[in-house]
Structure formats: structure tokens, C-alpha cells
Amino acid sequence: MKVLVLGGTGEARALAVALDESQDHTVVSSLAGRVRDPRLPVGEVRVGGFGGPDKLAEWLVAHQVDAVVDATHPFAERISASAARAAELTGVPLLMLRRPGWPSRPGWHWVGSLDEARVVAEGLGERVFLTTGRQGLAAFAGSSAWFLVRCVDPPEPPVPARSEVVLDRGPYTVEGELAVLREHRIDVLVTKDSGGPLTVAKLDAADEVGIPVVVVRRPAPPAVPVVSAVEQVMAWLR
């Protein structure tokens, strides 16, 4: 069985290992190409977008793909929508592998967008630790607050006028995150509900020092089957 795995997440890499070690599957992993130096999964890898759902459907047929697993980031709305439509067009089975979101904690402020996150954060503090990634920084460009922006690759303009950019990639430790919060005198943390263990340390650190956290809710996923573990994907394929 030939399986296309969409996404460069930790879950996608773990699934690629399981498929590569299996006697019954061939895996092709597809990365969007937005990260300059991505962590590559095992097996065959393609980098770059497909050009929309119709082109993805053509690719599935041309490469004789038997199943697709959408293991992209919870906020990768475009490719998830394209995968759902391509599966519908071709009849290729599609499963979404999605890590659970973070359970809400006291002191969290849930918002529906980055624009709303900016407004709420401005009302909570003057110095903001912004960990929503380099995509969407334009939503904070007009803010009067000061931002510590952490992302993997250098962001492109527009960025907040008063900001410092730190290039880094998880996993992080609570001790390290506490040092960041204290060194930069952070008043409020802004993040997305990415879920998973790689970046949860910042939330524990925020709890320890007692600063509020603004969390952007996940977008609604397409109407496709969803699981949360690699083992469930393997069972579905079987």
C-alpha cells in the first residue's frame, strides 16, 4: 500500500518511521517547504505545495496513492481543505492524524483569531511573548506593545514596530522558558493551541510566574475521520 503523509510535524515523522518499518506500506512524506531547514522524515520526501485540490488529486492518481494521512499542523487550514477535496475527487481514503489540543488552564484567554489575540494581549500587558510563528505577524504590526517574537526562520515584514526576534526551535524546558520570561520582563504570553509536548514548557513557565496566556483556538477541521495516535493510523490502514 502506498501512503502519502502530509506534514512536517512530529506525528508525521513518527508515522513515517512506522510505515517505513512495516512490510506492507510504502511512504511518501510531503512537506510544505516553508521552513528553511526542516527535520526530514525517513523514506521518500517531496517538498513544496501541490497547487490546490485539483492538482493534488491529479498527483494522487498519477502516483497511484492508496491512502492519504493528513498529519499537518492543526493550523494548516489550506492543505487540510485541499486534501479533503482531493480525496473526495479521487475516492482515495483520507485520515487526519491530529494531536490533542491543550486543556484550558486558569488565567487563559481564548480567542478566535490573531487579530483578537492582539487586542486582548494589549489589554493584559505591555511586554508580550509572541509564539504564534512567523506567519501572521502582520496582525500585530500596528500594536503599540513590545513583542518578543520567537520563530524558526526569520520573519518577513510587516512585523511589530517594537520587537525583538529570537530564532529557535523546540523542544523547550521549563527552566529555559522561565529564564526567557524573566530576562525580557514578559507580561503576557500569546500562543496558538498547537498541543503536544514540544512547546508546552512555556505554558508551565507562565503558570509558575503567574502571567496571563492568550490562546488562539484551532480552526475547525474538514469533515474527515480523525485520530490522535500513530497506532490508530496503522490500525486504520490495516
Side-chain angles (χ1 to χ4, degrees):
M1 179 180 289
K2 189 171 187 177
V3 182
L4 174 65
V5 177
L6 301 172
T9 60
E11 294 79 14
R13 291 191 294 273
L15 176 59
V17 170
L19 291 169
D20 188 65
E21 293 176 348
S22 171
Q23 299 293 322
D24 303 318
H25 306 97
T26 299
V27 58
V28 180
S29 297
S30 178
L31 310 183
R34 293 178 179 173
V35 177
R36 181 176 300 173
D37 185 24
R39 293 170 175 163
L40 296 178
V42 299
E44 183 180 344
V45 179
R46 70 172 302 278
V47 178
F50 290 93
D54 292 338
K55 293 295 185 182
L56 175 53
E58 293 175 7
W59 195 94
L60 296 178
V61 172
H63 291 78
Q64 299 180 323
V65 172
D66 297 298
V68 179
V69 180
D70 176 5
T72 56
H73 192 275
F75 285 81
E77 295 179 78
R78 183 176 299 177
I79 184 58
S80 291
S82 290
R85 177 58 179 157
E88 182 181 354
L89 290 171
T90 60
V92 175
L94 169 66
L95 182 70
M96 178 176 285
L97 173 59
R98 186 68 85 239
R99 72 185 75 141
W102 290 313
S104 187
R105 307 186 188 187
W108 282 19
H109 302 259
W110 289 90
V111 296
S113 67
L114 292 175
D115 289 324
E116 187 180 353
R118 176 184 59 79
V119 174
V120 173
E122 287 174 342
L124 294 171
E126 169 66 18
R127 299 179 66 83
V128 181
F129 186 17
L130 186 59
T131 64
T132 56
R134 64 189 179 97
Q135 306 289 331
L137 286 180
F140 302 89
S143 176
S144 60
W146 181 89
F147 292 87
L148 177 65
V149 179
R150 185 168 69 191
C151 47
V152 176
D153 291 324
E156 297 180 356
V159 298
R162 301 175 59 214
S163 62
E164 177 180 338
V165 176
V166 175
L167 303 181
D168 200 2
R169 173 160 47 189
Y172 302 100
T173 65
V174 176
E175 293 76 13
E177 299 293 61
L178 284 170
V180 170
L181 297 179
R182 289 165 176 159
E183 177 185 351
H184 296 280
R185 308 189 310 280
I186 298 299
D187 300 318
V188 55
L189 168 66
V190 177
T191 189
K192 293 179 177 178
D193 182 22
S194 300
L198 292 182
T199 59
V200 73
K202 63 190 173 187
L203 306 176
D204 297 333
D207 280 349
E208 186 165 330
V209 298
I211 67 171
V213 180
V214 180
V215 186
V216 182
R217 294 186 185 91
R218 295 180 175 191
V224 301
V226 181
V227 298
S228 59
V230 169
E231 294 78 9
Q232 293 172 295
V233 177
M234 300 302 290
W236 176 77
L237 290 171
R238 286 193 295 268

